[in-house]
Amino acid sequence: MGYIMDPRLEMPDKLLQELNPSSVFVLTDKNTTRHCLPILQRNLKPRQFHHLEIEAGEASKEMKVCLRLCHEMMEKGADRQSVLLNLGGGVVTDLGGFTAAIFKRGIRLIHIPTSLMAMTDAALGGKTGLNLGHYKNQLGTFSEAHQVVVHPGFLHTLPVPELRSGFAEMVKHALIADRDLWEKLQSAAVSQESLQPLLQQSMEVKERLVKEDFSEQGARLKLNFGHTIGHALESWSLEQAVTPLKHGEAIAAGMMAEAALSVAYSGLPPEEFHSIVNFIKQHFPVLNFPEPQQLFSFLKADKKNILGTFRFSLLNKIGSCETGVELTTEDLKKELKQITITGSRTA
């Protein structure tokens, strides 16, 4: 169904009137319960709904949490004419989308993303995902929401680290398919005021690729740039006894590493590679890159792999990306030894 930009947050109420559901459920995490749910409630005409809440953070993207939500909905009388509203960031939209897709073989779903990450990426495109232990998004479906309602005002509720995390996805969209957006991002600050005017241009990149290739067999694979190594880094950090990387931090690091692969395997000009690395380093703190062997169990679990061969989406130039670039285990081990988290090559 695509997305609707909704500056006044009027659409959720209108959609519920049109859908006339038997019952309404609203899923939040503890942060969006506090900061966003009161805003939504003020914009809904008096209507009874059931509130579902999860802990904030990646640890909630687990099957046990999904099953708990299913039990709660069943106990509160949910049926196939119920509607679930996901009010939150990427964890809420991924988990809520998966839950709606499997509960009674599917109930109607409305995403109301509240983070820049969810607005530009997680809530768009019909992907859902749960983690399997420390392995990112190993369970999931392709299940479109009835509608995605984007209220830019929610960006005011975000601290800078959360804005920066979503900013990484905007950078990715620019690098794979929109050089004009890349040029505009050069002078953008990581702030609500600076990024909101560019939000829709970034979202349109993903929307265009999803419309062309919903089931991710071709063009949509471009959206994986930075994510093969980025997801491995994120999974590795989830396994550590320290604060895990935010998704955007891991993807920023993944983009620097995969830009280096792009020079070697896709013809990315070295001067553009350095431009990418310098730009990302301006906006993201220096991160520790683990030894290559620490990443390999996670890299081997990547969903794009076939028969032990790694498949990357890599840049030809800024604004252009090719998919299905194959690297063997030996190739990738050799390259990872040469790549540091700064994106520089040691040989």
Side-chain angles (χ1 to χ4, degrees):
M1 291 292 293
Y3 65 88
I4 295 173
M5 298 296 289
D6 186 10
R8 297 183 179 180
L9 200 59
E10 298 172 331
M11 283 308 301
D13 190 70
K14 292 179 180 178
L15 289 168
L16 290 175
Q17 291 182 52
E18 293 170 5
L19 292 172
N20 191 28
S22 57
S23 57
V24 177
F25 292 79
V26 178
L27 175 64
T28 65
D29 66 24
K30 288 187 180 297
N31 291 332
T32 54
T33 295
R34 178 182 177 187
H35 298 291
C36 302
L37 185 57
I39 299 171
L40 176 64
Q41 286 180 287
R42 289 198 297 268
N43 287 275
L44 290 177
K45 291 185 173 67
R47 174 186 290 274
Q48 183 178 4
F49 63 84
H50 303 285
H51 181 208
L52 307 171
E53 185 181 74
I54 61 171
E55 294 291 334
E58 195 73 18
S60 287
K61 281 179 55 174
E62 291 284 348
M63 182 60 79
K64 64 183 178 182
V65 181
C66 172
L67 292 177
R68 189 220 349 136
L69 295 176
C70 289
H71 280 293
E72 286 189 39
M73 289 194 294
M74 189 164 64
E75 289 167 0
K76 293 173 180 176
D79 58 33
R80 295 188 76 179
Q81 297 306 309
S82 298
V83 171
L84 175 62
L85 278 66
N86 288 326
L87 181 68
V91 170
V92 170
T93 58
D94 277 357
L95 171 65
F98 186 87
T99 303
I102 67 170
F103 185 77
K104 295 187 183 291
R105 295 201 178 99
I107 62 172
R108 292 170 296 180
L109 171 70
I110 297 170
H111 285 318
I112 310 174
T114 61
S115 70
L116 184 60
M117 174 67 69
M119 291 177 190
T120 58
D121 184 56
L124 301 178
K127 275 187 179 181
T128 73
L130 299 183
N131 300 335
L132 194 59
H134 300 304
Y135 292 84
K136 282 279 294 184
N137 295 338
Q138 294 296 300
L139 307 176
T141 64
F142 287 95
S143 306
E144 280 195 286
H146 177 78
Q147 192 58 264
V148 179
V149 178
V150 178
H151 175 56
F154 282 135
L155 296 178
H156 288 289
T157 70
L158 299 177
V160 171
E162 291 297 330
L163 280 173
R164 186 178 293 116
S165 187
F167 181 69
E169 292 290 348
M170 297 181 73
V171 172
K172 180 196 74 176
H173 290 160
L175 289 173
I176 65 171
D178 193 336
R179 194 177 187 106
D180 176 67
L181 178 59
W182 170 256
E183 298 299 334
K184 292 175 180 176
L185 290 174
Q186 302 307 297
S187 57
V190 181
S191 67
Q192 185 272 338
E193 293 77 15
S194 185
L195 297 181
Q196 184 172 327
L198 303 176
L199 176 61
Q200 190 160 358
Q201 186 173 352
S202 176
M203 292 167 62
E204 285 172 354
V205 172
K206 180 159 188 179
E207 185 74 359
R208 184 170 67 249
L209 293 171
V210 169
K211 283 183 177 179
E212 184 178 343
D213 175 31
F214 178 71
S215 60
E216 199 176 37
Q217 301 300 309
R220 184 172 180 166
L221 288 166
K222 294 178 183 180
L223 292 162
N224 288 311
F225 172 67
H227 282 60
T228 300
I229 292 176
H231 274 169
L233 283 165
E234 193 173 1
S235 296
W236 167 79
S237 76
L238 286 170
E239 194 178 50
Q240 308 306 302
V242 295
T243 303
L245 293 171
K246 291 186 179 300
H247 177 72
E249 293 173 330
I251 297 312
M255 287 192 292
M256 289 192 288
E258 292 184 27
L261 294 180
S262 297
V263 175
Y265 290 90
S266 290
L268 178 69
E271 62 273 16
E272 293 197 354
F273 163 71
H274 290 297
S275 175
I276 292 166
V277 169
N278 291 337
F279 179 76
I280 293 176
K281 286 170 64 178
Q282 287 175 19
H283 294 285
F284 289 86
V286 175
L287 304 170
N288 291 322
F289 196 97
E291 291 296 319
Q293 61 267 25
Q294 294 179 277
L295 288 184
F296 252 83
S297 64
F298 301 112
L299 285 166
K300 288 189 289 187
D302 190 271
K303 298 180 291 298
K304 301 180 296 300
N305 296 344
I306 298 176
L307 297 175
T309 299
F310 299 91
R311 283 168 167 75
F312 284 85
S313 298
L314 299 178
L315 303 177
N316 311 115
K317 59 183 179 180
I318 293 174
S320 177
C321 181
E322 68 173 310
T323 64
V325 180
E326 296 187 2
L327 276 74
T328 65
T329 300
E330 292 72 24
D331 291 334
L332 190 53
K333 284 183 175 179
K334 179 188 71 175
E335 294 296 329
L336 285 178
K337 287 179 181 177
Q338 300 182 83
I339 298 170
T340 71
I341 200 61
T342 62
S344 62
R345 295 173 65 84
T346 58

